[in-house]
Amino acid sequence: MSSAAPEPQPDLFSDLSALDDDVEGGQSRAVGRGTSTSASTTAAEHLSPAFPARAAWGTAPALRAWQQAAVDDYLARSPRDYLAVATPGAGKTTFALRVATELLEAGLVRRVTVVAPTEHLKVQWAEAAARVGVRIDPSFRNAQGRHGAQFDGVALTYAQVAANPALHRARTQAGPTLVILDEVHHAGDALSWGDAVVEAFEPARRRLSLTGTPFRSDTAAIPFITYSADGEGIRRSRADHAYSYGDALADGVVRPVLFMAYSGQMRWRSRAGDEVSARLGEPLTKDMIAQAWRTALNPKGEWIPAVLAAADTRLTEVRRGMPDAGGLVIATDQETARAYAGRLREITGESAVVVLSDDDDASARIEEFTAGTQRWMVAVRMVSEGVDVPRLAVGVYATATATPLFFAQAVGRFVRARRRGETASIFLPSVPTLLGLAGELEIERDHALDRPASATEDGLDDAELAAANRAEKASSDLTQPGFEALEAQASFDRVLFDGGEFGTGGEIGSDEEADFLGLPGLLDADQVRDLLRSRQAEHVASRRARGAEPASDHRRLAALRKELSSLVSAWSRRSGVPHGVVHTRLRERSGGPEVPLASADQLQARIDAVRGWFVGRT
């Protein structure tokens, strides 16, 4: 007796390939009951590792190594709570949906709840889930009480949960539920949010927490996260699986980032009526830095248009290898965002896409820009986290927000790689806080519940954190009657890459600036490093020939010692090797005396060595 032929199954891989084309073309198709069966691990296996973009070069169709390792670890341990920390652009969504399909198929959960920071991200999650047969309702409202029978679950915002935690607790208790907490550090944004998340999802069968930035500038505990004391007794968040920017850069999953720093002469009138002049980037008091910074960002001055023009020149170069490459200006507020857009139109002759959270069609504008070829988009905070626009390759950090969390999330908008050799370039003012954050891009940070009385937090002690956060306060202070920005000139300062600094400065339009703006847009990290060193050597030789050799003063030595100390502390925590042993190994490797007697070149060599350790170079 012959058995009946098996019923043909839908070709999920073929369907996903078509969906990839739709996403690339700016469209999306929901996979409902009529076009897909149920949650499918087969489809999840073929979901682009970097949804919503195509997989980065060399990674498709299989899961990336870190994703597979995290899935294997999760399935082997079957924990109720799991924290995955992965750098923006690494593919946290794909990992989470693979876990979701495994749990649904095994019958361990029957519904899925996704919690995200913004309304736009709710839609992105629903579209990604539809590709693997998990039907998520992104339009669910608290007033509904329960989701429709055609859905496997809902997507919520943290604010939505906080508005009615009892409702969401009841929904969670109604059936075995997997809760995916996207960018979970937001659950500590307010006491009410954290309490609401705990109340709503404490009964969940499984909770999967995701973040690209597990640290916060405060000590508010993040719900469902495990904290363990380190060697100094500081309680820090502990990830179940971590994949840092340095790891992703070494794997070719993310783009190398070049930070283009610009300084310049600023002049303003203080609220006391005094006229003040200072150069951005030179040693100044905290108040002077804040005022010079705000003066630079004034759209009526000359600093902003000069930097926007330089960034547009860079975008033109990048487009030689990435024809659809786009740029993003991150502004402080809506008024300046509109003004920056006007400046861009004067420079490019093309209207920039302006995205403001108050606009009802903000998400639609982001989607239109994602699928289009426009050169520039201007936004305030809406594109600072989680929103994926893979073609973004050039950015202008024109905001006074300088917390480590915001900076890391903003940079994360530019690092998603679509093909081998893509680079990202971010233009920013020469402000010590920002330059420090740019130099520490590859350092892993965990959220600390405690603050030592006198110790650095990866180079950001209490005073520095206060200075970073003070920028927001300065923003409001400087709009009070009396303050007036009078003049803002721009000049090229330097390029920061891989912990090193390159360039000897130059005027706007100078050959020195043009050499760095004209770097090819398609280079891998090692090629970027080699080319920057070559340009640096040429500029130094040129200056020496003109009798203008730059001097190494005590300020630079102090800054290098501080940076080295920060890196050694971070490596000591990561490796478990005592600070003194790390310093000894660096001296053995790079030569020279102990830190207080080392030259600038010797200190820089040790800094480069430690940064190499973070990305796997020996």
Side-chain angles (χ1 to χ4, degrees):
M1 175 177 172
S2 61
S3 59
E7 181 180 341
Q9 297 297 312
D11 186 351
L12 292 172
F13 182 79
S14 174
D15 189 42
L16 285 164
S17 297
L19 281 168
D20 267 331
D21 293 338
D22 282 347
V23 172
E24 290 294 314
Q27 302 174 19
S28 62
R29 290 185 295 165
V31 180
R33 290 191 183 277
T35 57
S36 176
T37 54
S38 59
S40 169
T41 54
T42 302
E45 287 172 356
H46 295 294
L47 182 65
S48 165
F51 181 86
R54 292 187 183 275
W57 177 87
T59 64
L63 290 176
R64 291 173 178 159
W66 85 263
Q67 292 168 331
Q68 189 63 62
V71 169
D72 292 345
D73 179 57
Y74 184 91
L75 296 178
R77 295 199 287 120
S78 295
R80 187 180 185 193
D81 287 296
Y82 195 90
L83 171 62
V85 177
T87 190
K92 294 185 291 295
T93 303
T94 297
F95 158 71
L97 290 175
R98 178 61 186 277
V99 170
T101 57
E102 292 279 357
L103 297 179
L104 286 165
E105 285 198 349
L108 294 174
V109 301
R110 293 206 307 268
R111 56 177 61 187
V112 177
T113 297
V114 177
V115 189
T118 67
E119 292 289 334
H120 186 82
L121 286 177
K122 288 166 54 177
V123 176
Q124 281 192 180
W125 269 99
E127 292 177 347
R131 290 160 58 98
V132 296
V134 179
R135 295 152 299 187
I136 298 295
D137 182 6
S139 302
F140 175 85
R141 293 293 178 261
N142 289 353
Q144 294 176 222
R146 58 192 180 91
H147 62 261
Q150 70 271 32
F151 293 106
D152 298 308
V154 301
L156 312 167
T157 63
Y158 286 99
Q160 193 174 349
V161 174
N164 195 339
L167 165 67
H168 297 291
R169 182 182 182 90
R171 292 189 62 262
T172 303
Q173 290 174 322
T177 302
L178 165 66
V179 178
I180 299 174
L181 298 166
D182 187 26
E183 303 297 352
V184 68
H185 53 271
H186 281 288
D189 279 356
L191 181 61
S192 60
W193 285 22
D195 291 344
V197 167
V198 172
E199 179 182 349
F201 304 123
E202 188 278 330
R205 176 71 61 86
R206 297 289 180 89
R207 292 180 292 260
L208 180 58
S209 298
L210 309 172
T211 183
T213 47
F215 60 90
R216 296 178 54 82
S217 299
D218 56 27
T219 57
I222 303 172
F224 307 124
I225 300 302
T226 300
Y227 290 85
S228 300
D230 62 12
E232 299 175 350
I234 306 300
R235 293 172 295 167
R236 297 183 183 276
S237 60
R238 190 182 72 210
D240 293 284
H241 193 91
Y243 188 65
S244 70
Y245 173 79
D247 297 329
L249 186 62
D251 291 344
V253 169
V254 295
R255 298 168 179 159
V257 181
L258 297 93
F259 292 97
M260 308 285 193
Y262 279 72
S263 57
Q265 194 68 30
M266 307 295 149
R267 189 166 59 89
W268 65 91
R269 181 174 291 109
S270 69
R271 285 177 291 171
D274 300 323
E275 189 171 307
V276 184
S277 179
R279 185 171 182 80
L280 193 67
E282 291 187 349
L284 301 169
T285 65
K286 294 176 182 178
D287 287 343
M288 290 276 283
I289 291 173
Q291 294 168 25
W293 186 354
R294 293 296 296 169
T295 301
L297 298 182
N298 186 338
K300 297 180 181 179
E302 294 303 317
W303 192 91
I304 276 291
V307 172
L308 291 177
D312 190 66
T313 298
R314 177 65 184 152
L315 181 59
T316 297
E317 180 61 42
V318 171
R319 282 193 163 207
R320 297 181 191 276
M322 295 171 56
D324 68 338
L328 168 66
V329 181
I330 301 177
T332 296
D333 54 50
Q334 296 187 2
E335 181 180 353
T336 54
R338 295 187 182 95
Y340 292 165
R343 287 290 196 172
L344 282 169
R345 182 176 179 82
E346 295 172 2
I347 294 167
T348 66
E350 177 183 312
S351 296
V353 176
V354 181
V355 179
L356 305 176
S357 58
D358 289 351
D359 294 343
D360 294 336
D361 62 346
S363 291
R365 291 188 183 185
I366 293 175
E367 292 175 0
E368 179 184 354
F369 183 85
T370 300
T373 59
Q374 303 97 318
R375 292 180 70 87
W376 286 98
M377 176 165 62
V378 184
V380 184
R381 286 180 177 270
M382 191 163 184
V383 193
S384 66
E385 179 178 74
V387 175
D388 293 300
V389 185
R391 71 184 187 91
L392 286 177
V394 177
V396 179
Y397 195 89
T399 174
T401 306
T403 63
L405 179 59
F406 183 88
F407 185 84
Q409 289 289 357
V411 172
R413 300 314 98 216
F414 303 92
V415 301
R416 185 185 295 276
R418 299 179 299 174
R419 58 178 290 197
R420 186 181 188 183
E422 290 182 344
T423 62
S425 304
I426 299 178
F427 290 70
L428 74 173
S430 291
V431 175
T433 301
L434 297 182
L435 299 182
L437 294 173
E440 295 174 346
L441 183 62
E442 294 174 10
I443 296 178
E444 299 176 45
R445 289 195 184 93
D446 296 314
H447 180 225
L449 284 182
D450 310 294
R451 290 285 187 265
S454 58
T456 61
E457 175 72 12
D458 286 357
L460 290 171
D461 59 21
D462 288 341
E464 288 172 302
L465 282 171
N469 286 300
R470 174 207 39 74
E472 282 298 307
K473 181 174 181 293
S475 171
S476 60
D477 284 349
L478 299 183
T479 58
Q480 294 178 3
F483 177 86
E484 181 184 3
L486 301 176
E487 181 182 14
Q489 300 296 325
S491 61
F492 173 67
D493 187 6
R494 67 191 105 162
V495 176
L496 288 80
F497 177 75
D498 194 29
E501 297 183 359
F502 305 89
T504 56
E507 297 303 315
I508 296 296
S510 65
D511 291 341
E512 288 86 351
E513 181 195 31
D515 277 348
F516 289 105
L517 294 180
L519 290 171
L522 290 178
L523 296 170
D524 63 31
D526 289 335
Q527 291 173 324
V528 171
R529 190 179 304 107
D530 292 343
L531 192 52
L532 286 172
R533 287 172 176 168
S534 173
R535 297 281 168 89
Q536 170 84 348
E538 293 172 2
H539 291 178
V540 170
S542 175
R543 287 207 165 206
R544 285 175 177 168
R546 299 197 307 265
E549 181 178 359
S552 174
D553 60 19
H554 67 91
R555 291 184 295 273
R556 180 163 182 252
L557 286 171
L560 290 171
R561 290 170 189 149
K562 182 177 180 181
E563 182 178 3
L564 179 60
S565 175
S566 170
L567 287 168
V568 168
S569 295
W571 183 254
S572 177
R573 280 200 304 274
R574 175 169 173 171
S575 65
V577 178
H579 291 62
V581 175
V582 177
H583 279 294
T584 299
R585 290 178 181 173
L586 287 171
R587 289 181 61 189
E588 292 172 351
R589 176 189 178 102
S590 305
E594 58 270 24
V595 170
L597 301 179
S599 67
D601 289 342
Q602 291 165 339
L603 292 171
Q604 187 63 59
R606 296 176 197 181
I607 288 170
D608 292 343
V610 182
R611 290 193 175 279
W613 294 347
F614 276 106
V615 295
R617 296 196 303 270
T618 58

